[in-house]
Amino acid sequence: MHHQILAPVFNSLALSALVAAVPLILLLVLLGIVRMRAHWAALISLAVGFVIAIPVYLLPPVPAFSGALEGAAFGLFPIVWIIVNAIWLNRLITKSGHLDTVRRTFLLLSRDYRVQGLVVAFCFGSLLESMAGFGAPIAVVAAILLALGFSPIRAATVALFADAAGTAFGSVGNPIFALSKATGLPTEGLGEMVGRQSAIVAFFVPFALLLVLDGKRGLKQLWPVALATGLGFSIGQFVASNFIAFQLADLIGALLAGAAAAVLLRLWSPTEVLSPPTDGTEAKPVEETAPEDRRHWLPSFAPYAVLIVLLALVSLKNPVGDWVQSITTQFKWPGAGAIGVSGKPLTLPLFSINWIGATGTILLITGLITLAIQRIKVAEAIREYGRGIVQVYSAALTVMFVMALAYLINYSGQAVTIGTLLAHTGVAFAFLSPILGWLGVAATGSDTSANALFGAVQVAAAKQTHLSPYLTAAANSEAGALGKLISPQNLAVAAAAVGLAGQEGQLVRRTFLWSLIFLAGFCLIVFLMAYGPLSFLVVH
């Protein structure tokens, strides 16, 4: 059994952390600067990870390769399983012609592409995120934006923001449960603290989306819509997490945000209504469209309604959900394992497969129901499934290589070294603590995984610096939502959904700066909660 070493490089924590971060830094450089295809960039970073894990961190070859294989298997199921079935569902809706009806229906809400992008990504995307996860909302949102006339690169970029507001609570609170397990803190207190932090961050996301969609002009013309949706979402998150149930925070927030936008758009309209620009062209005024025949709404939106209902059934507390969760296979992954620096064995070797309740399986069932609703032939559906697999092939490789790297750095102890270095920064830790969650999700693509990875480190550091453990633990979860914007896993999902598999570098160049800006702002918020005027919001 491998015993993790905290500072293997000349017994220096700083040098060890620098070396430990090399694979992650290399991955971002190869994607964003070198512009290498994502699966090759991930494979090279994984190879470098082995070079550091085995000779530097003394991780034996067997657990090193077995642990990486476990990560790749986790990438295959549930993540690639979700991507394949989400793409298939999107292809079915497109093939049936009903996606065009969805497009025309959104035109009734507003013919302005900036409003459509905000509502679809922020409101509808967060609604899906509240019950699904692992990139499923990104794939669905990107397909709808494509149908609305967005260029592939713009649709993928905007769709990535679908995770930026709701990931801290994830699928019915799963990240919070993982955080509670890692830290020993009650879920209710953690949920309250995350809700108070997330409500502040989520308020600004619609404004950022307008800047992404149309720059200063979009913000100047449409700030009332951003204000309405931001306030609606923030109020819903805060009230639900602190007074109802944190598992419903994103669901209630998304519904209030959508309702606020709908009410506002009935009373107010922008001075200029624009159609989505294609790459290299300016947005143009929208031409008048014929009223939508509402008889076609039901079969067109039925797949999304079915998806939401099924996700709610398997996610929320009810007899069906309990039965589905019970059909889970769990086993210890052979050859993998490590003793952490705390002296306790890691929980990573336990591998779980939720056969029916997995989001990918729910997407598959939704697709099968869609065949009947939209009268699609079985033979055509099978052909579309095969085409979908071809479409996501390189994205699947990217996800598997990235998850292999994430598990490798977790088993070797590289992740703990980075976290411990930040924990030794004293008073500055209040400002730096969100960086751990951001890095964790950037590497693993999962807020749940990042909370399990760094939650205990956050609490230990908080006690050393006399901070509320709820503050830093919750900061880890909320900062993870911001790391979703640059997670190679999410980038691969977005690129695959719009037919740009292998071009993830284009996306990371568009989202990296926004991720850093939000992270810096959130670091300041956490610092003000620790030592400034926002301290009244801290749970103790």
Side-chain angles (χ1 to χ4, degrees):
M1 184 71 72
H2 171 63
H3 289 256
Q4 292 182 343
I5 307 170
L6 190 61
V9 182
F10 300 117
N11 205 32
S12 167
L13 187 61
L15 287 177
S16 300
L18 182 61
V19 172
V22 166
L24 300 178
I25 296 172
L26 177 63
L27 178 58
L28 291 175
V29 169
L30 292 177
L31 282 176
I33 299 177
V34 180
R35 304 187 180 187
M36 184 178 291
R37 291 180 69 88
H39 59 282
W40 289 117
L43 181 59
I44 292 172
S45 300
L46 175 61
V48 173
F50 278 115
V51 171
I52 294 173
I54 295 175
V56 178
Y57 276 80
L58 304 181
L59 180 63
V62 171
F65 286 97
S66 180
L69 187 61
E70 181 189 359
F74 184 81
L76 187 62
F77 190 95
I79 302 172
V80 173
W81 181 235
I82 290 173
I83 300 173
V84 169
N85 289 301
I87 296 296
W88 180 56
L89 178 61
N90 289 333
R91 293 184 70 91
L92 289 179
I93 299 171
T94 303
K95 191 72 177 178
S96 68
H98 285 282
L99 196 57
D100 190 55
T101 302
V102 173
R103 178 189 67 82
R104 294 195 303 270
T105 303
F106 274 108
L107 289 176
L108 293 178
L109 177 65
S110 173
R111 293 180 293 115
D112 190 287
Y113 85 96
R114 300 163 296 180
V115 175
Q116 296 163 5
L118 195 156
V119 171
V120 173
F122 184 66
C123 302
F124 187 60
S126 297
L127 177 66
L128 289 176
E129 177 63 28
S130 69
M131 289 171 288
F134 295 108
I138 295 174
V140 175
V141 166
I144 295 176
L145 293 178
L146 275 179
L148 288 168
F150 283 60
S151 66
I153 191 67
R154 188 181 294 270
T157 303
V158 173
L160 283 165
F161 278 83
D163 270 355
T167 302
F169 290 102
S171 173
V172 288
N174 280 337
I176 307 300
F177 289 115
L179 188 61
S180 176
K181 183 178 179 180
T183 61
L185 298 174
T187 55
E188 290 77 11
L190 289 170
E192 290 176 10
M193 191 68 248
V194 170
R196 298 175 190 188
Q197 293 174 344
S198 184
I200 298 175
V201 175
F203 174 77
F204 293 100
V205 173
F207 295 94
L209 263 173
L210 287 181
L211 288 171
V212 170
L213 286 163
D214 194 37
K216 294 180 180 178
R217 177 180 61 179
L219 190 61
K220 181 180 179 180
Q221 294 181 351
L222 295 171
W223 65 265
V225 185
L227 180 64
T229 54
L231 274 177
F233 196 92
S234 296
I235 292 172
Q237 269 199 333
F238 180 84
V239 172
S241 60
N242 282 265
F243 303 106
I244 303 175
F246 68 85
Q247 297 95 322
L248 302 177
D250 290 338
L251 177 64
I252 293 175
L255 291 175
L256 283 181
V263 171
L264 175 67
L265 291 169
R266 289 185 65 89
L267 304 173
W268 170 92
S269 61
T271 56
E272 191 175 15
V273 179
L274 302 177
S275 63
T278 56
D279 289 339
T281 65
E282 288 291 328
K284 298 178 180 179
V286 174
E287 298 179 0
E288 290 295 330
T289 57
E292 176 62 31
D293 185 351
R294 302 192 180 191
R295 292 174 299 176
H296 299 301
W297 284 17
L298 182 58
S300 299
F301 281 90
Y304 305 113
V306 169
L307 177 61
I308 291 171
V309 170
L310 291 179
L311 287 171
L313 276 176
V314 302
S315 301
L316 301 177
K317 192 69 177 177
N318 62 79
V320 175
D322 293 342
W323 173 75
V324 167
Q325 296 304 323
S326 68
I327 307 176
T328 301
T329 300
Q330 189 176 73
F331 60 93
K332 186 174 181 180
W333 192 268
I339 302 294
V341 293
S342 63
K344 297 179 180 179
L346 302 186
T347 58
L348 284 173
L350 289 177
F351 194 86
S352 297
I353 301 177
N354 189 341
W355 299 102
I356 299 179
T359 303
T361 305
I362 297 302
L363 284 162
L364 175 63
I365 296 172
T366 302
L368 294 175
I369 296 174
T370 300
L371 297 184
I373 295 175
Q374 299 187 348
R375 299 179 181 178
I376 302 171
K377 295 179 180 179
V378 174
E380 185 61 35
I382 294 174
R383 283 194 292 269
E384 289 300 323
Y385 202 96
R387 291 165 184 162
I389 291 175
V390 173
Q391 180 179 338
V392 305
Y393 175 72
S394 63
L397 290 178
T398 300
V399 170
M400 292 172 67
F401 291 149
V402 167
M403 292 309 302
L405 174 61
Y407 271 63
L408 179 64
I409 64 176
N410 287 345
Y411 274 124
S412 65
Q414 292 166 248
V416 177
T417 298
I418 297 171
T420 305
L421 175 66
L422 291 178
H424 279 70
T425 55
V427 174
F429 182 69
F431 183 83
L432 298 174
S433 64
I435 296 176
L436 284 178
W438 183 79
L439 284 173
V441 174
T444 67
S446 167
D447 205 38
T448 300
S449 298
N451 286 345
L453 180 61
F454 289 128
V457 175
Q458 294 277 14
V459 169
K463 292 178 179 178
Q464 292 177 16
T465 52
H466 306 291
L467 294 172
S468 165
Y470 291 98
L471 174 65
T472 56
N476 194 85
S477 192
E478 175 55 30
L482 311 177
K484 282 276 189 174
L485 288 171
I486 61 167
S487 165
Q489 173 193 310
N490 272 17
L491 294 171
V493 173
V498 298
L500 294 177
Q503 301 181 45
E504 290 80 0
Q506 292 188 51
L507 295 178
V508 78
R509 288 192 294 275
R510 289 170 174 253
T511 59
F512 189 78
L513 181 59
W514 280 111
S515 185
L516 286 182
I517 291 173
F518 269 107
L519 177 64
F522 183 57
C523 287
L524 180 60
I525 289 171
V526 174
F527 186 81
L528 293 177
M529 285 183 169
Y531 301 112
L534 298 180
S535 58
F536 70 96
L537 292 172
V538 177
V539 174
H540 293 280

